[in-house]
Amino acid sequence: MRIARFSIDGTVGFGVVEGEATGDGGLALEVIKGHPFAEFERSGRRVPLSEVRLLPPVLPSKVVAIGRNYREHAREMGNEVPGTPVVFFKPSTSVVGPGDPVVYPSFSGEVHHEAELAVVIGRMCSQVPRERAADVILGYTCANDITARDIQRTEEQWARAKGFDTSCPLGPWVETALDPAAASDLAIMCTVNGEQRQLGRTGEMVRGIEELIVHITQAMTLLPGDVILTGTPAGVGPLNPGDEVAVTIEGIGTLTNKVIKRD
């Protein structure tokens, strides 16, 4: 099931996306009563997806991100795979949705794309054992861990490099039909202005989804709607104002954003 968060006629809600994308649209959204973190009812009201504005599929209290979780990406950055996961945060204010602009930060001259599989948490959880990790997942979405690479090189903490406003596009919706095993073998691609930059598979992750949930929840409680970014494959590269960047993950969808210059 594909669950989207949307706005139409001044109303914000959740809906189930149905159908397949075609040249004339093809996708529709059925509004749900309630929210996806509890039992909900389908309202029967359907609207063409083209008539709504898709918002970030969730509003996380925090985005917990993992660095250097693909060997080839670690290598292209001149690093080794760490002995334990590199964990950092992106604030809730960094989150934007599909179609929203990524604003090039004024303090950076080198901004990169990083296509990532995002895990969306469905229930409050702490100290999760590996065998229960699947139970706390609502689903998966596409993410772009936009990074001010020059700032990352010069500042020991990555708060500004990774956490600036609009640096965490998420979307277009949450796919709930995948289990961790299926989500761990998906093609992931990034294009810039239609040109392929990144292409890999989530199976290349050094540490898998369940292991990451165990590791993170040993230290902190995750809340419904929180997001885990699982790392990026090799091929990261520069973005410039005017570029259109798209992250596509097999079985989930495509997240597209345009980079703009700050006014």
Side-chain angles (χ1 to χ4, degrees):
M1 182 181 296
R2 295 169 292 188
I3 299 177
R5 183 170 161 268
F6 70 94
S7 172
I8 185 172
D9 299 329
T11 299
V12 174
F14 290 94
V16 175
V17 178
E18 300 175 321
E20 297 298 329
T22 61
D24 59 354
L27 293 173
L29 183 142
E30 181 180 0
V31 179
I32 66 173
K33 298 178 181 179
H35 59 77
F37 305 108
E39 292 188 9
F40 60 82
E41 295 181 24
R42 298 174 71 138
S43 69
R45 180 192 175 196
R46 291 177 172 83
V47 293
L49 195 66
S50 59
E51 295 183 8
V52 307
R53 178 191 171 199
L54 288 180
L55 304 174
V58 289
L59 291 176
S61 74
K62 53 188 171 294
V63 177
V64 187
I66 306 298
R68 303 170 190 167
N69 199 30
Y70 286 72
R71 293 189 189 280
E72 292 304 315
H73 171 60
R75 186 173 292 115
E76 73 179 350
M77 293 289 100
N79 298 305
E80 299 293 330
V81 173
T84 58
V86 174
V87 180
F88 61 94
F89 294 102
K90 294 174 82 79
S92 59
T93 48
S94 69
V95 173
V96 292
D100 288 339
V102 170
V103 182
Y104 202 105
S106 60
F107 56 84
S108 173
E110 186 184 2
V111 171
H112 283 194
H113 56 79
E114 294 191 9
E116 308 208 9
L117 173 72
V119 181
V120 180
I121 299 300
R123 53 190 285 193
M124 186 170 70
C125 58
S126 177
Q127 305 294 320
V128 178
R130 189 182 185 98
E131 63 271 17
R132 297 295 302 276
D135 297 341
V136 307
I137 299 171
L138 174 66
Y140 304 86
T141 193
C142 305
N144 199 340
D145 177 18
I146 307 289
T147 302
R149 193 71 71 199
D150 50 351
I151 305 302
Q152 185 184 27
R153 293 193 196 100
T154 58
E155 297 183 1
E156 291 187 8
Q157 297 289 333
W158 297 352
R160 291 206 310 155
K162 296 278 194 177
F164 59 89
D165 290 352
T166 75
S167 66
C168 190
L170 297 175
W173 42 64
V174 178
E175 175 57 72
T176 66
L178 299 169
D179 61 21
S184 297
D185 189 27
L186 301 175
I188 179 170
M189 178 176 67
C190 179
T191 63
V192 177
N193 301 325
E195 176 186 349
Q196 181 183 299
R197 292 277 190 86
Q198 293 179 268
L199 181 63
R201 296 194 72 82
T202 56
E204 299 166 14
M205 289 191 290
V206 176
R207 296 176 178 89
I209 294 164
E210 292 160 307
E211 182 178 353
L212 294 177
I213 290 173
V214 171
H215 182 77
I216 292 166
T217 62
Q218 286 175 341
M220 68 193 74
T221 299
L222 296 177
L223 302 179
D226 281 352
V227 171
I228 298 172
L229 303 188
T230 58
T232 192
V236 301
L239 293 171
N240 295 292
D243 285 344
E244 184 176 83
V245 56
V247 175
T248 300
I249 302 181
E250 177 185 7
I252 298 177
T254 298
L255 166 68
T256 303
N257 301 90
K258 191 165 185 176
V259 183
I260 66 170
K261 185 177 181 180
R262 182 174 295 280
D263 294 335

